[in-house]
Amino acid sequence: MDKFLMLDIGAGTLDVLYYDAGSSLHYKAVVRSPALTVAEKARATNGNLVVKGVEMGGGPISNVLTERASQAHVIMSASAAATIHHDLERVRSRGIEVVEDDVAERLAAGSACTALTLGDLEMDRIEGIVHDFGVPFSFDAVGICAQDHGVPPRGVSHLDFRNAIFKSRLGESPFPHHLLFRNDEIPVHFNRLKSIARSAEKIPAREIYVMDSGMAAILGASLDALAKTKSKILVLDVATSHTVAATFDGGELAGFFEYHTEDITLERLEALMIDLANGEIDHARIIQEGGHGAYIRKAIGFNNLEIIVATGPKRKLVERSVFSVHPGAPFGDNMMTGTAGLLEAIRKRHGLEPMPAW
């Protein structure tokens, strides 16, 4: 396997990494996320709207469609409506009509409504980016990461459910790359990742992989050149939407927590870092505070940490930390944290040679 395309689909940016193992050359780009560009397309339309496609990252597009539904008729396919909520009655409560996918396709082909397609992979954009790299749009492996809350059983919190899935898989193998899935082995409850994988089948590639962006980010952050020389480390990825922190002991994941970036203060983050390393962080309390949860396998002790590494587009949050925080750059670039983690997960999956420290 030589030619790799890695895509990290975030709330603010789409990070793209092309790597050629044969030549050790790589090319990269950071562009606006699909969540922003698709919402912009929706805002540019007028009148009644029929929305087809699949589940994608919500937020901006959900807000635009809810606002439009108060002014005009908005019809969504059941698959696309999962972008707003997996409970379709809650989608309907926003004044949006939900129909079967084939009905939405027929309506989109007509002229009574403006048509909009949802999806995390805007193929024309991706192909254009790769074309501008000056390399063929053909790959041995494509890896894509995005956050997927999962579709829990009725009555179960999606955050508790997602956390339980992570705990189960990490209990089998305490390494983030164990949460990398080939397109034919994605758990059914990860609907967004499955939607991404189906869309990615249009990309000419021998293999397609998907991964939760938080897990890809902490793996990528651990690849920082200085962090790789240490055993007991704490990594932070302060991204546009979510902040993820994790502790590693000799390459094994010891624990992690996930929080909404807009809701966390430096003081609270520092306290959580201490609790994480000391094995005292509480999943239920993180959920109560509005975060996404936590998981502890083992305590490594905050005073035993050899390095704290911070990556992510909003890592400026920790610039004034009372702790010594190293500005991480996995494979030489802070913004490539997720793509670097994806590439490393695929490398470990196939037992390939370590990637160079660019």
Side-chain angles (χ1 to χ4, degrees):
M1 300 183 77
D2 287 327
K3 294 174 174 56
F4 301 85
L5 179 67
M6 304 292 113
L7 306 171
D8 179 357
I9 305 170
T13 64
L14 166 65
D15 309 325
V16 185
L17 173 66
Y18 172 84
Y19 175 60
D20 185 334
S23 64
S24 292
L25 292 175
H26 73 283
Y27 307 99
K28 56 195 176 183
V30 178
V31 298
R32 296 182 73 210
S33 72
L36 298 179
T37 59
V38 174
E40 190 175 73
K41 290 177 185 176
R43 284 194 198 95
T45 65
N46 295 303
N48 297 334
L49 195 61
V50 58
V51 185
K52 60 178 184 172
V54 296
E55 180 181 354
M56 66 173 294
I61 186 62
S62 297
N63 294 335
V64 171
L65 295 178
T66 299
E67 181 181 354
R68 176 65 66 81
S70 68
Q71 306 164 354
H73 191 190
V74 176
I75 304 169
M76 297 188 75
S77 71
S79 293
T83 300
I84 296 178
H85 205 282
H86 293 131
D87 183 346
L88 298 185
E89 287 306 313
R90 295 185 64 169
V91 179
R92 294 184 178 100
S93 71
R94 299 190 183 201
I96 296 171
E97 181 181 355
V98 181
V99 299
E100 295 298 324
D101 291 5
D102 59 339
V103 174
E105 289 285 349
R106 288 198 301 273
L107 292 172
S111 58
C113 300
T114 301
L116 178 73
T117 301
L118 302 192
D120 283 305
L121 295 185
E122 299 170 289
M123 297 304 300
D124 290 345
R125 287 184 75 206
I126 295 169
E127 190 166 357
I129 291 167
V130 173
H131 175 76
D132 287 343
F133 288 162
V135 299
F137 194 66
S138 179
F139 316 97
D140 292 310
V142 170
I144 308 165
C145 65
Q147 187 178 76
D148 192 335
H149 289 174
V151 184
R154 186 171 293 276
V156 178
S157 158
H158 68 272
L159 295 179
D160 287 336
F161 183 65
R162 178 171 177 262
N163 192 262
I165 294 169
F166 287 173
K167 287 175 62 176
S168 175
R169 292 193 68 88
L170 292 171
E172 297 169 2
S173 176
F175 301 95
H177 70 266
H178 195 56
L179 286 158
L180 176 79
F181 302 105
R182 198 174 57 211
N183 62 322
D184 61 351
E185 60 189 26
I186 307 167
V188 67
H189 36 259
F190 283 143
N191 189 63
R192 184 184 178 194
L193 291 181
K194 287 183 75 68
S195 296
I196 289 171
R198 285 195 299 272
S199 298
E201 291 174 0
K202 297 176 183 177
I203 301 175
R206 286 171 48 195
E207 297 182 1
I208 297 168
Y209 294 93
V210 296
M211 190 175 186
D212 180 84
S213 55
M215 295 298 105
I218 60 175
L219 177 56
S222 73
L223 300 175
D224 172 80
L226 185 56
K228 287 173 69 174
T229 67
K230 312 297 182 182
S231 179
K232 297 183 186 299
I233 69 174
L234 188 152
V235 299
L236 288 167
D237 185 66
V238 190
T240 303
S241 182
H242 294 86
T243 292
V244 185
T247 46
F248 287 86
D249 186 4
E252 291 189 4
L253 183 65
F256 70 85
F257 70 80
E258 189 171 3
Y259 222 96
H260 289 109
T261 300
E262 67 178 7
D263 294 333
I264 200 166
T265 64
L266 175 57
E267 293 72 22
R268 183 60 182 136
L269 179 58
E270 289 172 334
L272 289 171
M273 290 160 58
I274 294 172
D275 288 347
L276 174 65
N278 289 337
E280 297 171 351
I281 203 161
D282 182 65
H283 167 72
R285 183 178 176 188
I286 296 295
I287 295 294
Q288 289 170 0
E289 292 179 5
H292 271 218
Y295 165 64
I296 292 291
R297 275 192 59 250
K298 60 187 292 189
I300 61 177
F302 189 81
N303 292 332
N304 295 326
L305 290 175
E306 299 170 66
I307 190 172
I308 299 172
V309 176
T311 62
K314 293 197 172 183
R315 68 178 176 187
K316 189 176 181 179
L317 174 67
V318 296
E319 276 186 346
R320 297 182 181 180
S321 175
V322 296
F323 307 133
S324 176
V325 180
H326 169 66
F331 293 150
D333 192 329
N334 169 47
M335 291 300 292
M336 290 295 114
T337 305
T339 58
L342 276 169
L343 189 57
E344 177 69 358
I346 293 172
R347 181 192 77 79
K348 288 181 175 294
R349 169 98 176 218
H350 285 275
L352 303 175
E353 290 298 314
M355 305 299 174
W358 297 322

